[in-house]
Amino acid sequence: MDRETRKEVLLTTLGLRAGYGGKPVLQGLEIEVRETEIVAVIGRNGVGKSTLMKSLIGLVPAMSGSIVYRGEPIELLPAHKRARLGIGYVPQGRDVFPRLTVGENIAVGAAINGDIPEEGRKRVVDAFPILEERWHQRAGTMSGGQQQQLAIGRVLVADPHLILLDEPSEGIQPNIVQDIARNMVELNRKTGVTIILVEQNLDMIRAMAQRCYVMDKGRIVASLDGSALHDEMEMRRHLAV
Ligand SMILES: Nc1ncnc2c1ncn2[C@@H]1O[C@H](COP(=O)(O)OP(=O)(O)OP(=O)(O)O)[C@@H](O)[C@H]1O
Ligand SMILES: [Mg+2]
């Protein structure tokens, strides 16, 4: 038995259908993610990657099918309850509050009125030291890469068990992409946090993911292991870049 198959299953979707206004985008999607894995979900624009992330956290309701997390069905739970079960969601485009400071944004992430617990603050600044330097700076004045680290920090403060990370590299300089990937991998090694990463940036996929699913038209059409991630032709074909 290899290492992957010994790990416990953390999250499974079965026949998941979800979409907008009664029209499904996800068409019976099935994935299985194990404890401590970093799994990428790739695919062309508009195939439903963000819809998948939103349906896992509960911002898009499931029309049918199931989402099983730590052995329990969660597809009927509202987003805040899924967050309380340890699922952290970092949306595409980051969505930080531009007029709030770094510290205030983090406090919102922790749903805290007042001071952030020291333990939570430490978790955030250990992962992303830049946020400590910029703690009192308004988020809107920071670079895209710094805002992305803040968006991730906002979920780290609540000590998530699973992080849903939607296109963190979008609009960010290549060297910062590598920094973020390195910090996330280190966090995964240190804490065992599981990560589902939606990405189209091949460098970030390779720097972070251990394996990947390929999505097309709301379904998983291929599952690639670690060695395939380094097959240039194969990856470019799936990303169609
Ligand atoms: N709020 C919405 N209301 C209606 N349709 C939507 C909504 N959000 C997305 N869609 C549609 O659902 C489909 C899937 O979109 P989704 O954002 O999940 O794709 P994606 O794979 O994340 O794309 P990208 O790579 O551009 O981020 C698209 O056809 C899109 O137009
Ligand atoms: Mg998207």
Side-chain angles (χ1 to χ4, degrees):
M1 214 192 308
D2 65 41
R3 238 175 62 225
E4 297 306 312
T5 51
R6 269 204 306 266
K7 289 178 189 164
E8 268 184 58
V9 173
L10 175 64
L11 178 122
T12 313
T13 66
L14 281 172
L16 183 61
R17 286 159 55 87
Y20 311 91
K23 276 178 56 187
V25 171
L26 306 183
Q27 311 267 0
L29 182 132
E30 313 216 324
I31 58 170
E32 182 181 272
V33 176
R34 291 173 179 267
E35 293 277 1
T36 77
E37 278 196 300
I38 303 181
V39 180
V41 176
I42 70 173
R44 293 186 308 268
N45 292 115
V47 297
K49 303 179 301 294
S50 294
T51 304
L52 169 61
M53 302 298 252
K54 287 180 196 160
S55 90
L56 293 179
I57 190 63
L59 296 174
V60 170
M63 292 167 179
S64 62
S66 64
I67 304 170
V68 178
Y69 173 72
R70 291 177 131 174
E72 304 288 337
I74 59 162
E75 68 275 358
L76 298 178
L77 297 181
H80 70 273
K81 289 204 174 149
R82 298 190 206 185
R84 235 180 274 151
L85 292 175
I87 306 178
Y89 169 58
V90 185
Q92 184 171 7
R94 313 184 253 284
D95 282 350
V96 299
F97 297 104
R99 298 177 65 84
L100 299 186
T101 65
V102 166
E104 287 162 350
N105 268 280
I106 303 272
V108 172
I112 298 163
N113 294 314
D115 291 339
I116 297 166
E118 179 51 25
E119 189 189 290
R121 196 197 64 86
K122 194 166 179 316
R123 194 164 32 243
V124 173
V125 299
D126 281 354
F128 297 112
I130 185 76
L131 297 179
E132 177 143 63
E133 265 172 56
R134 303 298 170 96
W135 196 258
H136 300 288
Q137 188 171 329
R138 283 185 199 224
T141 66
M142 302 198 304
S143 72
Q146 291 163 350
Q147 291 188 32
Q148 185 62 54
Q149 295 176 68
L150 172 56
I152 300 170
R154 204 164 51 173
V155 312
L156 288 186
V157 69
D159 198 15
H161 193 82
L162 167 66
I163 300 176
L164 308 173
L165 199 49
D166 195 350
E167 295 219 32
S169 77
E170 207 175 44
I172 294 179
Q173 292 173 12
N175 61 324
I176 310 291
V177 166
Q178 287 303 322
D179 278 353
I180 294 175
R182 195 171 342 101
N183 289 347
M184 294 308 287
V185 168
E186 200 178 309
L187 186 76
N188 165 265
R189 290 213 185 106
K190 276 204 297 218
T191 68
V193 66
T194 305
I195 301 170
I196 303 179
L197 166 75
V198 164
E199 256 306 336
Q200 306 203 64
N201 178 317
L202 200 44
D203 290 336
M204 184 150 226
I205 295 164
R206 285 180 178 155
M208 275 188 69
Q210 295 150 2
R211 62 184 183 91
C212 104
Y213 286 112
V214 182
M215 255 184 102
D216 192 23
K217 298 187 187 128
R219 285 195 182 85
I220 300 300
V221 294
S223 173
L224 309 178
D225 64 12
S227 59
L229 300 187
H230 294 275
D231 183 331
E232 193 76 22
M233 295 290 282
E234 171 99 350
M235 292 301 285
R236 297 221 174 268
R237 187 164 62 84
H238 291 302
L239 290 164
V241 287

